[in-house]
Amino acid sequence: MDAKLVNPFIDAFMTVMPQIGFPTPKRTKVYLQDKNATSLGVVVMVGFTKQMRGNVVYNMNEDTAKFIASTMMMGMPVAEFDAMAQSAISEMSNMLSANAATNLTQMELEVDISTPSLTIGEGFSIKISESQYLTVEMDLGGHKIDIAIAVDRNV
Amino acid sequence: MEKVKVMIVDDSKVSRAILSNHLSKTNFEVVAMAKDAAEALELYKEHNPELVTMDMNLPDADGIECSRRIKAIDPDAKIVMISAMKDANLVAQGTAVGIGAFLQKPVSTNDIIDTLMMMCQQKVSRIAVLRESYGKAFVRALRQGLLRIIDLKVEPELELYDKKYLEVNGIAVIIGLTGSPSGRAIMYMTKETMKGFAAKMMGTDEVTDDEANDAVEETANIIVGRGVSNVNDVFKDKEMRITPPGTICGAGIRVASPKLTTFKITAATDFGDICINVGFAEGD
């Protein structure tokens, strides 16, 4: 895949996360992967189509998901990863993907994004690409989110 | 579900045919077609339709007068005017006699369905429309797909899925739907079913896990793609598309669907149930 396509996703993370309560998101690692990803606990998949096709997966453990949901809801305690917290994580994924889509239009790529699919469970395998794809590891105040990006131009 | 009865009033045979064609693939059923006001009144009394589409130009009276006469026999009549002309004056006159909505010809299927849906909201919920016009498109796709791919005749069942989670033990292929409404379709089955299915598809029992995964993924792609084509055939201006598949495998996986209306489609086979859960975003 084209490594240039990763930047719009990193930029989206850096732009959106401070707006929803995380002042200093950091990119800690970027690496190529050719095997299936493994769920850390909470996995959100968002599909892309039109001039760029593929999938992006936001992968985190349940503690991180609860921490993000709580922060997004102005510090409201989140003891269980319940419907409200799930909705918050879906919304975050949607915002990140929509922001990335906007960034992609600046590269003259028009894209449509699907509804996020949120899955819960630890250790299941996730296949989003037949070939190599990139994973970006992000840090949010000690909490880690892996963003697996398997997209390609469709032009 | 019960169909919603619609009467078309239009003096043009072609217009009647176009409208009736728009509605034929949905849960709105055309029970009567009238070519003039006199016939409209007669057929209204006979069929008592839940909705009426009204043309403006009729040979014996205009659409406003015809609507006034229908309202005189049934004050609750729901009428939508569909005419070549639509201006402020016409809307004002029409509203005064109780016409509920105004559309200009040519109308798209999407516009007409949305309008009819709004007008009879108590009777046809959004869920019913999703089920009839979208859910059933995927039922047909699953039936056609299994017949073509493994030569298997099934009658898949469709039900509203209102559980909090979709439980997956085995494989689930997730395919995003973009357009209006957006959503996602998930084809899923147990590992045993996957093996049985792949053996049948590839014509051999010697199937590795990876090959079986690929077989299911490819099948999901074909069937969901066909489902979307079936939707696009009805709603020509919606341009629904699919995103590439993402496949998850494992045990005890829960798929949550916040803010989605979802349906479960089940095809019972000798080697187990092949299911599709298709969900549409609310508020689209």
Side-chain angles (χ1 to χ4, degrees):
Chain A
M1 66 172 273
D2 181 352
K4 279 201 203 91
L5 296 176
V6 171
N7 290 328
F9 291 91
I10 298 175
D11 292 346
F13 197 87
M14 296 301 189
T15 309
V16 170
M17 297 315 283
Q19 292 169 17
I20 56 173
F22 306 91
T24 52
K26 279 200 275 293
R27 185 182 75 191
T28 44
K29 267 189 221 166
V30 181
Y31 52 95
L32 261 178
Q33 252 184 304
D34 50 13
K35 291 210 178 72
N36 292 346
T38 301
S39 166
L40 298 171
V42 175
V43 168
V44 188
M45 195 185 295
V46 179
F48 287 74
T49 184
K50 273 199 178 167
Q51 290 182 314
M52 187 193 82
R53 284 173 61 76
N55 280 293
V56 170
V57 162
Y58 302 92
N59 188 1
M60 68 207 87
N61 68 32
E62 204 169 295
D63 272 347
T64 297
K66 287 194 285 193
F67 165 73
I68 292 172
S70 164
T71 308
M72 283 177 76
M73 297 188 285
M74 309 295 171
M76 205 172 98
V78 174
E80 291 295 318
F81 189 55
D82 56 10
M84 178 109 77
Q86 290 163 17
S87 187
I89 297 300
S90 275
E91 187 51 30
M92 174 198 75
S93 312
N94 195 35
M95 284 191 277
L96 290 172
S97 306
N99 193 281
T102 308
N103 295 342
L104 284 159
T105 57
Q106 283 156 19
M107 295 167 69
E108 308 207 326
L109 287 174
E110 197 197 330
V111 297
D112 265 352
I113 61 174
S114 76
T115 305
S117 293
L118 186 141
T119 44
I120 305 161
E122 215 174 306
F124 63 83
S125 82
I126 311 150
K127 182 187 159 203
I128 51 169
S129 175
E130 294 293 339
S131 50
Q132 285 190 324
Y133 60 98
L134 277 163
T135 297
V136 185
E137 199 180 292
M138 295 291 199
D139 174 90
L140 283 180
H143 287 273
K144 180 174 97 101
I145 301 184
D146 283 353
I147 310 177
I149 304 163
V151 292
D152 264 309
R153 283 172 201 264
N154 186 34
V155 280
Chain B
M1 70 161 269
E2 209 176 306
K3 296 248 178 183
V4 176
K5 294 189 287 178
V6 179
M7 176 170 83
I8 297 171
V9 184
D10 202 308
D11 65 335
S12 148
K13 200 174 171 184
V14 173
S15 288
R16 292 196 301 269
I18 292 172
L19 266 174
S20 129
N21 187 37
H22 277 320
L23 297 176
S24 64
K25 294 168 186 165
T26 68
N27 56 309
F28 294 98
E29 183 186 18
V30 178
V31 291
M33 292 203 263
K35 60 184 184 310
D36 56 36
E39 197 179 21
L41 277 156
E42 212 171 283
L43 291 174
Y44 191 90
K45 284 184 223 158
E46 189 184 328
H47 293 280
N48 195 23
E50 283 149 77
L51 288 160
V52 178
T53 76
M54 179 67 66
D55 183 23
M56 185 59 189
N57 297 312
L58 299 172
D60 54 345
D62 67 25
I64 299 209
E65 174 56 25
C66 181
S67 301
R68 199 187 57 73
R69 291 183 199 165
I70 290 175
K71 282 282 191 181
I73 38 174
D74 178 8
D76 293 331
K78 294 189 171 72
I79 305 172
V80 52
M81 176 157 279
I82 303 177
S83 59
M85 284 279 294
K86 181 183 158 186
D87 56 38
N89 191 22
L90 180 95
V91 172
Q93 286 181 33
T95 309
V97 301
I99 295 176
F102 299 83
L103 291 172
Q104 193 166 11
K105 287 179 186 171
V107 287
S108 70
T109 308
N110 189 17
D111 281 346
I112 178 104
I113 305 268
D114 284 352
T115 306
L116 294 185
M117 237 174 88
M118 267 187 329
M119 292 190 64
C120 59
Q121 228 152 24
Q122 307 86 340
K123 295 210 167 143
V124 194
S125 66
R126 185 187 131 80
I127 290 174
V129 170
L130 285 177
R131 171 199 288 270
E132 294 299 311
S133 302
Y134 292 81
K136 285 197 174 166
F138 286 86
V139 171
R140 288 200 300 279
L142 183 57
R143 187 174 55 224
Q144 294 160 341
L146 292 180
L147 184 62
R148 293 264 173 99
I149 297 166
I150 55 167
D151 197 24
L152 184 71
K153 273 196 186 136
V154 284
E155 273 310 319
E157 286 186 13
L158 173 72
E159 60 184 307
L160 181 68
Y161 193 79
D162 50 11
K163 296 202 180 87
K164 248 160 86 185
Y165 297 107
L166 170 69
E167 301 265 353
V168 175
N169 286 296
I171 184 168
V173 182
I174 302 175
I175 296 176
L177 308 174
T178 68
S180 176
S182 64
R184 92 284 177 283
I186 303 172
M187 185 163 164
Y188 63 103
M189 62 191 79
T190 63
K191 203 172 167 180
E192 291 69 37
T193 303
M194 171 179 83
K195 285 275 198 179
F197 172 81
K200 181 120 181 143
M201 181 174 168
M202 298 168 73
T204 166
D205 285 336
E206 308 287 311
V207 183
T208 66
D209 280 1
D210 277 355
E211 285 168 344
N213 276 7
D214 286 353
V216 171
E217 193 176 292
E218 183 55 18
T219 300
N221 206 24
I222 292 169
I223 288 174
V224 174
R226 196 178 256 266
V228 166
S229 298
N230 289 346
V231 170
N232 288 341
D233 274 351
V234 179
F235 299 98
K236 297 203 186 305
D237 47 354
K238 292 245 173 175
E239 233 196 301
M240 222 183 208
R241 288 167 189 250
I242 58 170
T243 68
T247 304
I248 56 178
C249 291
I253 308 170
R254 290 174 299 159
V255 183
S257 302
K259 295 187 188 157
L260 291 184
T261 304
T262 69
F263 297 92
K264 182 184 179 189
I265 303 165
T266 312
T269 75
D270 288 347
F271 36 88
D273 287 352
I274 296 175
C275 303
I276 293 179
N277 184 290
V278 58
F280 304 100
E282 286 160 17
D284 269 330

